[in-house]
Amino acid sequence: MHTEISDKKIAVLLSGGVDSSVVVYELASRGLHPDCFYIKIGPEEEAEWDCSSEEDMEMATAVAARYGCRLEVVDCHREYWDKVTRYTMDKVRAGLTPNPDVMCNRLIKFGAFDEKRGHDYDLIATGHYAQTETIDGLKWLTTSPDPVKDQTDFLAQIYDWQLRKAFFPIGHYMKDEVRRIAEREHLVNARRKDSQGICFLGKINYNDYLRRYLGEQPGDVVDIDTGRKIGQHRGLWFHTIGQRHGLGFGGGPWYAVKKDVAANMLYVSHGFDPAAAYKRDFPIHGFHFLTVSELPERVTFKIRHTPEFHPATLEQTAPGCYTVHSEELIQGVAPGQFCVVYDADHHRCYGSGEITVE
């Protein structure tokens, strides 16, 4: 495994979860002694928010000690709340669908950490399910063999210099293989459940978080097919395009299909599989390139963290702007989401662009 890294100075981002712990094992088993770092983000007000960070720290400490690695806590709390939370709130307030975990990788794990400590290291190793390959002298972000766990979509907004330092020692494994390694090596967190949801919230409900920072702003809910008002929402930010569960309106099922931010109206469509919930063609802008600055005409893409890659052709409309022509109908296309673009074999990741408000 990566014999060329033996002379590299490696920093491991150790979260306390099983994936990053197996990263430490993988490196230590090859005679390497990386320095481990626990990034402290935590909730904005520790006393009021329930968070698993204390348990994370205990797990990280145990794993680092097990393999004789130094562990240092790096406080990125302020950077997270200033950068990632601001991005999230600005997007949500504008009626868009943000992805805080994508920005966390760019701005915190490979950003603020690098400014504070990572700049002293050749490689920053994480427990992401992704790979890198050097092809014709260029370093590419490539997909994991585990389609369910593949996390290249969360990494598609990192900068090129961050990609050059990124190292994913478990990216070639399936998730169940990582679990088996952890159990075989009797790691303290071998049976610990994977964290779910947005990293900075811990166990806090996302809607409660939005309500705290944005409050409520009631408005009309309208059947897009008939123009009939069917109820009221408490704030557009509590709903996502494509949402079906939790809308709470009688006579359903209803799908959220459109937001009118200026009029503060939520449009819904009735039925189990309404045509209004699907799109085949949609624009993206501000495309962020990872390795090369051109895209092929035929690609595959995904707009959310799912195992499926969708075939499409791209039509460039302006620098960094494209229209995606999907070969399949796509449910829940929402402005603000990232459309992550891959080659036709969904192996190499080109980067991602933001879906545009039409």
Side-chain angles (χ1 to χ4, degrees):
M1 177 189 88
H2 302 282
T3 54
E4 73 277 7
I5 68 168
S6 58
D7 61 344
K8 302 289 187 183
K9 193 175 180 184
I10 303 172
V12 176
L13 301 187
L14 186 56
S15 68
V18 66
D19 297 326
S20 60
S21 298
V22 173
V23 166
V24 179
Y25 159 76
E26 286 282 303
L27 298 177
S29 67
R30 286 157 176 79
L32 301 173
H33 295 282
D35 290 336
C36 297
F37 295 88
Y38 177 84
I39 295 179
K40 181 182 178 183
I41 297 172
E44 191 168 28
E45 297 171 16
E46 296 280 356
E48 296 185 30
W49 292 69
D50 178 18
C51 189
S52 58
S53 57
E54 186 175 335
E55 183 181 345
D56 291 337
M57 186 62 197
E58 290 175 358
M59 297 287 184
T61 301
V63 171
R66 163 86 178 269
Y67 294 105
C69 297
R70 188 172 67 87
L71 176 66
E72 180 181 331
V73 177
V74 178
D75 190 346
C76 292
H77 171 271
R78 182 46 52 199
E79 289 82 2
Y80 193 99
W81 289 88
D82 285 349
K83 295 179 180 180
V84 180
T85 303
R86 180 180 298 142
Y87 152 82
T88 304
M89 292 300 106
D90 286 349
K91 293 292 186 183
V92 168
R93 191 181 286 111
L96 305 177
T97 301
N99 192 321
D101 289 333
V102 169
M103 287 297 108
C104 184
N105 283 319
R106 175 200 273 197
L107 299 173
I108 306 300
K109 292 176 183 175
F110 294 98
F113 170 74
D114 194 83
E115 293 174 15
K116 290 177 181 250
R117 295 294 284 110
H119 60 269
D120 291 328
Y121 294 82
D122 301 309
L123 297 171
I124 296 176
T126 71
H128 284 102
Y129 285 81
Q131 302 185 89
T132 60
E133 292 181 31
T134 301
I135 303 170
D136 297 330
L138 298 174
K139 188 173 183 179
W140 287 85
L141 177 66
T142 57
T143 51
S144 163
D146 189 329
V148 174
K149 294 299 293 183
D150 177 70
Q151 292 174 305
T152 50
D153 52 324
F154 292 131
L155 294 160
Q157 282 278 317
I158 64 173
Y159 296 114
D160 54 356
W161 65 266
Q162 295 173 327
L163 178 59
R164 288 195 290 272
K165 294 184 70 168
F167 180 33
F168 310 117
I170 65 166
H172 60 295
Y173 286 130
M174 301 289 285
K175 177 69 183 194
D176 58 357
E177 293 179 288
V178 171
R179 285 283 182 194
R180 285 199 295 271
I181 291 170
E183 291 180 1
R184 184 192 71 209
E185 298 302 316
H186 305 292
L187 296 183
V188 65
N189 51 14
R191 296 180 182 274
R192 194 181 188 201
K193 290 183 179 180
D194 290 345
S195 60
Q196 301 292 329
I198 297 171
C199 57
F200 64 89
L201 288 184
K203 299 173 184 176
I204 298 302
N205 178 275
Y206 184 53
N207 280 348
D208 290 341
Y209 166 76
L210 293 176
R211 187 173 289 106
R212 174 173 180 141
Y213 286 92
L214 298 179
E216 296 187 354
Q217 189 176 1
D220 291 342
V221 178
V222 176
D223 182 346
I224 198 169
D225 300 308
T226 66
R228 180 174 61 92
K229 177 183 172 181
I230 67 163
Q232 275 207 324
H233 63 79
R234 294 186 176 181
L236 290 177
W237 38 77
F238 297 120
H239 301 286
T240 57
I241 302 302
Q243 176 184 354
R244 175 183 165 192
H245 298 292
L247 288 176
F249 308 118
W254 296 96
Y255 281 82
V257 295
K258 182 181 177 182
K259 297 178 183 180
D260 183 336
V261 178
N264 194 28
M265 292 172 62
L266 176 68
Y267 289 93
V268 297
S269 188
H270 188 259
F272 283 92
D273 208 19
Y278 288 79
K279 283 190 177 183
R280 193 185 296 273
D281 307 304
F282 56 90
I284 59 175
H285 72 279
F287 196 88
H288 174 79
F289 293 94
L290 284 170
T291 301
V292 295
S293 56
E294 291 184 5
L295 296 175
E297 182 181 2
R298 297 195 64 81
V299 297
T300 55
F301 74 93
K302 59 170 65 178
I303 62 169
R304 57 177 63 87
H305 187 59
T306 61
E308 295 81 27
F309 295 83
H310 306 287
T313 56
L314 295 180
E315 176 189 354
Q316 186 168 10
T317 55
C321 300
Y322 300 84
T323 298
V324 179
H325 300 291
S326 174
E327 295 180 12
E328 308 161 342
L329 285 168
I330 307 298
Q331 194 264 346
V333 178
Q337 286 175 319
F338 288 114
C339 175
V340 188
V341 176
Y342 302 81
D343 62 18
D345 298 321
H346 49 80
H347 179 62
R348 289 185 290 181
C349 180
Y350 285 97
S352 64
E354 188 176 316
I355 297 174
T356 305
V357 179
E358 294 184 90

